[in-house]
Amino acid sequence: MPETVEVGYIAPRHLAGGGDPAWITLPLHQSCGWTYDHDPLMPRVVLTSPDKSAVMRLEPNTDGQWWVLHHFGEQGQADWYASFGARTPVELIAGFVDALTGPAPPVETSDPFEPLRQHNWESAQGAPGLVASGGTAFVQRLGDEHGRGPWFVTATIGRDRPVWQARFGEDTPPHLVTAFTTALADPQPVWRANGVLGLPTLDPNIISRKVVDVPAAYVAAALTGRIESLSGRHNTPPTETSPPGPPTPRAPRRR
């Protein structure tokens, strides 16, 4: 095993590619007690919450969303859903599922647009919603006269190149959508250890990619650290810190 691994730090994070699905599936199972249903003959994973109120399905789907979560009401009927395209960065999905499985917020109401405004997202022209600087991400709610409706988050490269889309049903708790938009708006880059595989573009005018050599042990320990951090939520008060990632060495080699 090599002593170091090349890790690319990508910004904006919504164009970093999907990342490792284990960043979502392993913590749900090992930290949050979700059970899994896996057929080795089928390329899919189904995870069910301990109280059976939510089911997360990961399944390659060339015509739709790869990640789909259904939340069920008291009579077993689906009362809201969330779904994410294949190239939705796992760090953004993690913001959503960590909020879903974490302690209930002190205030149930929140504005999913607020984290975007705090990072200078602007009103979109010709459609209700907010757009990121550079126009590569757009968040909108298709509301009715009462302000109710589903949420759509779309990452694009140019007008005709959609990269991924996240969708939230109209009854999705606002604090969960806000957790996703908070992760989306975070200006910090995310890391990828698979070179340029999965990146939707290498255009330096659209993304920033800095490559550093990181000890392989740090990369291997990143997921373990995330699992331990989420497991500790049941014993310690929640914090505002981000999930751990591989530290940058003191004297990295950059390209």
Side-chain angles (χ1 to χ4, degrees):
M1 181 176 178
E3 293 184 357
T4 62
V5 176
E6 288 187 351
V7 170
Y9 288 85
I10 314 298
R13 52 176 41 204
H14 58 266
L15 296 179
D20 184 359
W23 199 253
I24 305 299
T25 58
L26 284 183
L28 279 177
H29 176 57
Q30 297 184 14
S31 302
C32 305
W34 290 42
T35 57
Y36 66 89
D37 177 13
H38 174 63
D39 183 343
L41 299 180
M42 296 292 292
R44 68 184 179 200
V45 177
V46 180
L47 289 154
T48 304
S49 65
D51 62 1
K52 313 298 183 185
S53 67
V55 175
M56 170 75 89
R57 179 185 295 268
L58 169 59
E59 183 173 9
N61 184 348
T62 56
D63 296 320
Q65 305 291 81
W66 283 40
W67 299 86
V68 180
L69 184 143
H70 286 286
H71 188 275
F72 298 94
E74 294 181 357
Q75 303 301 320
Q77 300 295 318
D79 56 359
W80 58 264
Y81 73 91
S83 67
F84 310 93
R87 284 184 166 177
T88 310
V90 292
E91 294 82 1
L92 309 189
I93 302 174
F96 178 86
V97 298
D98 292 356
L100 173 65
T101 58
V107 179
E108 286 297 332
T109 59
S110 60
D111 179 6
F113 284 123
E114 185 57 29
L116 309 177
R117 296 190 189 99
Q118 292 179 2
H119 289 280
N120 301 317
W121 286 44
E122 299 179 348
S123 296
Q125 295 183 355
L130 296 179
V131 63
S133 174
T136 55
F138 176 51
V139 177
Q140 66 179 145
R141 187 176 198 185
L142 302 180
D144 57 20
E145 64 272 15
H146 303 293
R148 290 172 50 84
W151 292 85
F152 293 89
V153 182
T154 308
T156 63
I157 300 175
R159 285 187 137 186
D160 302 320
R161 291 187 58 190
V163 177
W164 58 262
Q165 187 173 78
R167 306 166 188 167
F168 305 96
E170 66 176 26
D171 292 319
T172 305
H175 76 276
L176 300 183
V177 184
T178 300
F180 184 87
T181 59
T182 298
L184 171 66
D186 189 339
Q188 294 298 315
V190 295
W191 60 275
R192 295 289 182 265
N194 58 349
V196 298
L197 297 177
L199 293 181
T201 182
L202 292 175
D203 188 339
N205 295 315
I206 299 177
I207 68 166
S208 167
R209 178 173 177 263
K210 294 183 178 180
V211 179
V212 300
D213 289 336
V214 173
Y218 288 175
V219 174
L223 179 57
T224 300
R226 169 168 161 76
I227 292 171
E228 292 176 349
S229 175
L230 292 177
S231 297
R233 294 185 309 183
H234 301 290
N235 301 316
T236 58
T239 66
E240 297 296 330
T241 56
S242 301
T248 303
R250 292 182 179 178
R253 174 166 60 88
R254 297 182 180 272
R255 293 184 182 81

